Amino acid sequence: MTFRRLDTADAANDLGGKRALVRVDFNVPMHEGKVSDDTRLRAALPTIEMLRRQGAKVALLAHFDRPKGKRVPEMSLKPIVEPLAALLGAPVAFADDCVGEIAKAAIEALPAGGVVLLENTRYHAGEETNDPALARQMAALGDLYVNDAFSAAHRAHVSTEGLAHLLPAYAGKSMEAELDALDAALGNPKRPVMGIVGGSKVSSKIDLLKNLVSRLDRLAIGGGMANTFLYAQGYDVGASYCEKDLADTAREIMENARKANCELLLPVDTVVSVRMEHGAPVFTRALGELDEDERILDAGPETVARLTAAMDASKTLIWNGPLGVFEIPPFDKATVDAARHAASLARAGTLVAVAGGGDTVAALNHAGAADDLTFVSTAGGAFLEWMEGKPLPGVEALKV
Ligand code: ADP
Ligand code: MG
C-alpha cells in the first residue's frame, strides 16, 4: 500500500522547529480518574520520540469518550499528561482547548522537541461532522499532520481526515505498522491465504464474510455463527445460539465461496453442554447429534485438527473471532489449541498470522499466543471495517 510515511525524505527533511499535529489514540481505559491500561499511550511513543529527536514541536490531538460537542469535565484528557510524561521521560504540557488562542500559545511556548497534549477534540461539535471551519482553525496550528490512530481511521472527523487535506500529511509509526501488517494479510498476501472467522453472530459479520470469501483461498467458520451455517445445511443444533432467520444468508455465503473457489471449513464435530458454565458436563458430538436442551459451545477435536492442517498448508492467516465460548473453560479449548498452533507457525516463520477484534485479542492473550503472532490489531471497529473491504477515510487521506 502506498501512503506517505513519516520517515520518507520529504517529511524527515528538516523538521527542526516545525509544528507537528499528531493524531493519537488516547481513548484509554480509566478507573477513578486514572489510566488503568497504558497500552495505547505506549503505542504512540515511537512517533512522538521520532519527532522529538528531529526537533519538531509535537502537539497531540486525541478524543476521549463521547462528549458530543460539549465540554464534559469527566472526559478531559488531562489525566493522560502525567503517565505520558513518565513513559516519555520528558515534560508534557497541556492546553485546555485543541484550537484557538489557548492551543496556539501552548504550541508556541514549546521548545524544539517539546510535547503538548491538546484537550479532547470531541469537545467541539465540528470534529465529528468534519466541519471545514474547525479543520482550518486546527490546521492553522501546525506545519504538518501525522495520523497515528488507525483505530479512529474508519471515521471521517477533522482530526482523523479533514486535516490531511490541509497540511502535508503522514502516517505515524503505529499507523504504518498496522497498515503494513494488514496489507500483508489481505491486501497483498502470500498465498495460500486462510481466514478464521468466529464469534457469536453471523448478523454482525455478513459484510466481512462476503468480502473474505471473495479474497481468501480458504475460510474456517467457527463460534456461535457456525451454528447458523450448520442449521442452514439441515443439521439439528438443539438449544445452541443460532440465527435461524439468517439461514438464507448463510447459504448465499456458501454459494459465493463455491463460485470464488474459496474452500469453506465448517465444523465437523462439536463440543456440547446443557449449561454454559464452568464444571457442567461436556460431550464431544458428531454434527446434528445433540439433545434438544444441549448447546454447541466449542469446536470439536476433529475440527481443530482440520484447522491446524489448513494452517500448515497456508502461508498467511487472518483471524477474527473465537471458535467457542473461550471465557468459560473448557469451551476455550479449540480457540486455545488453534491459537497456539498459529503462534508456533508464526514463530517458525512459515506463516504470516494477523488477528484482531476485541474478544479475539482477549482470547489470544488467554492462550498466551498474542506475542508470537505476526501482528495483533487492537483497533476494533476500524479493523473490522477493513476486513469488510471498506475504504477507511483516515487511511485514504494518507495515500499518495
Ligand atoms: P470479536 O470481538 O473478536 O470481533 P465477537 O464479539 O464476534 O469477537 O465474538 C466473541 C464472542 O463470541 C465471545 O463472547 C464468545 O463467547 C462468543 N461465542 C463463541 N462461540 C460461541 C458459541 N458457540 N455460542 C455462543 N457464543 C459463542
Ligand atoms: Mg466482540
Side-chain angles (χ1 to χ4, degrees), residues 199-200 205 320 322 357-360 384:
S200 48
K205 294 189 180 168
N320 167 258
D359 293 292
T360 308
L384 290 174

Side-chain angles (χ1 to χ4, degrees), residues 115-279:
V115 181
V116 59
L117 175 60
L118 308 183
E119 184 57 287
N120 197 339
T121 52
R122 290 192 186 170
Y123 277 5
H124 293 270
E127 160 75 336
E128 294 190 60
T129 58
N130 209 356
D131 173 43
L134 183 71
R136 279 193 300 273
Q137 265 190 296
M138 215 179 271
L141 299 172
D143 301 303
L144 68 149
Y145 166 69
V146 179
N147 189 349
D148 210 22
F150 176 79
S151 56
H154 55 321
R155 310 277 184 229
H157 295 171
V158 166
S159 69
T160 62
E161 202 270 349
L163 284 182
H165 300 293
L166 300 176
L167 290 170
Y170 304 90
K173 304 306 289 175
S174 235
M175 171 76 90
E176 180 176 346
E178 184 103 29
L179 295 181
D180 285 341
L182 300 190
D183 202 45
L186 202 52
N188 201 6
K190 283 193 212 147
R191 289 182 181 271
V193 51
M194 166 175 177
I196 299 178
V197 177
S200 48
K201 303 185 209 164
V202 174
S203 53
S204 62
K205 294 189 180 168
I206 295 172
D207 291 345
L208 189 153
L209 290 166
K210 285 187 175 164
N211 184 44
L212 291 187
V213 295
S214 73
R215 296 170 73 165
L216 304 181
D217 300 301
R218 46 179 77 101
L219 173 63
I221 295 181
M225 71 165 67
N227 301 339
T228 304
F229 282 83
L230 295 179
Y231 173 80
Q233 290 178 297
Y235 291 108
D236 185 7
V237 294
S240 301
Y241 179 81
C242 178
E243 294 166 293
K244 296 188 172 165
D245 53 326
L246 289 181
D248 282 341
T249 304
R251 281 187 286 265
E252 188 193 334
I253 290 165
M254 288 189 268
E255 179 58 16
N256 289 356
R258 199 187 57 74
K259 284 192 198 139
N261 259 327
C262 171
E263 180 194 6
L264 268 195
L265 299 164
L266 289 167
V268 291
D269 60 349
T270 60
V271 169
V272 309
S273 180
V274 175
R275 281 174 292 138
M276 195 161 90
E277 58 188 49
H278 193 70

Side-chain angles (χ1 to χ4, degrees), residues 295-316:
R295 309 191 222 181
I296 301 167
L297 296 173
D298 199 13
E302 289 279 331
T303 304
V304 176
R306 278 180 92 214
L307 276 187
T308 53
M311 287 183 206
D312 292 342
S314 300
K315 291 216 164 65
T316 304

